[in-house]
Amino acid sequence: MAPTMHFNYRYFETDGGVWWFGGGTDITPSYLFEDDMKHFHGAYKNTCDKHDPEFYPKFKKWADNYFLIKHRGETRGLGGIFFDDLNDRDPELIFNFAKDCVDTVVPAYVPIVAKRCDSEFTQEQKQWQQLRRGRYVEFNLVYDRGTVFGLKTGGRIESILMSLPETARWEYCHEPKPDSPEAEILDCFKNPREWV
């Protein structure tokens, strides 16, 4: 029942002196535990607010839009923060923000894993998790800018694909049962919520 999570923060600079920062952290649960999402998003809101009170709402919305699987009309997970091409202030200020975001990964995520890692689960719940992992694969191979860039420019294929789950599943036209925990979280994937 523990969710997966992904993060990366990066700095780019061209030979011509053009520079920018990008990155983000997002969480991908298979089942909804609202307290976990409030904790995760709250940690990133606190970090963002230390640097600019406009960062969290802007970067949370950016994550909701960026991680959308357009052909499904649902997000890959329950968001977090995401930004790219950030160069609107002193680079040292943005670098400090990115460092603080990295430093937030452990306190935002590890308590959730500690709470959920030994949870019992049924075979049906495992199958749902595998379907959600399939959505993660779909997003990464079709929409993720870094993955697509790496595949189109001759990057190291194994390194690029290492972020994919080891196992995943697809079922033809799968729909969860109404009023089930699976239907509840699917609604969150289709209609992003404000957690804090």
Side-chain angles (χ1 to χ4, degrees):
M1 293 295 190
T4 60
M5 185 269 303
H6 172 264
F7 75 97
N8 72 61
Y9 293 88
R10 54 204 176 271
Y11 172 77
F12 294 96
E13 186 170 340
T14 68
D15 289 339
V18 177
W19 60 269
W20 68 94
F21 288 83
T25 306
D26 68 293
I27 194 160
T28 309
S30 297
Y31 286 90
L32 179 61
F33 297 97
E34 288 195 30
D35 288 346
D36 293 353
M37 295 307 97
K38 289 176 184 177
H39 169 79
F40 180 82
H41 283 270
Y44 276 94
K45 182 180 186 314
N46 289 339
T47 296
C48 287
D49 286 353
K50 289 178 194 172
H51 295 269
D52 187 325
E54 294 181 12
F55 275 1
Y56 178 77
K58 179 179 178 180
F59 298 157
K60 193 261 187 212
K61 182 176 181 167
W62 202 336
D64 290 341
N65 291 333
Y66 179 77
F67 293 110
L68 179 66
I69 305 167
K70 296 173 186 76
H71 61 273
R72 298 259 185 207
E74 61 192 61
T75 56
R76 114 176 155 181
L78 296 183
I81 63 168
F82 181 81
F83 59 90
D84 208 359
D85 304 318
L86 190 60
N87 62 359
D88 64 344
R89 57 197 75 198
D90 184 280
E92 206 53 42
L93 293 174
I94 304 172
F95 181 57
N96 289 332
F97 169 62
K99 286 192 302 185
D100 284 351
C101 288
V102 170
D103 290 341
T104 302
V105 169
V106 170
Y109 181 59
V110 171
I112 296 170
V113 173
K115 192 184 332 179
R116 305 288 172 210
C117 69
D118 293 324
S119 300
E120 293 186 12
F121 56 88
T122 66
Q123 185 58 36
E124 290 80 18
Q125 289 169 323
K126 182 68 176 177
Q127 288 177 336
W128 174 252
Q129 180 197 51
Q130 294 293 300
L131 288 169
R132 293 310 310 168
R133 286 180 174 179
R135 298 302 199 263
Y136 193 95
V137 169
E138 288 178 33
F139 172 82
N140 278 33
L141 292 179
V142 177
Y143 299 109
D144 183 73
R145 287 173 52 184
T147 302
V148 172
F149 176 80
L151 294 173
K152 287 183 176 179
T153 58
R156 294 181 315 229
I157 302 301
E158 283 74 19
S159 297
I160 295 165
L161 299 180
M162 284 300 282
S163 69
L164 297 179
E166 186 175 355
T167 60
R169 178 184 178 94
W170 288 264
E171 288 183 17
Y172 188 75
C173 293
H174 180 271
E175 289 292 330
K177 294 177 185 169
D179 301 317
S180 67
E182 296 82 7
E184 178 185 31
I185 197 165
L186 183 59
D187 182 66
C188 295
F189 297 138
K190 291 184 176 207
N191 302 292
R193 294 184 185 177
E194 297 300 324
W195 301 104
V196 292

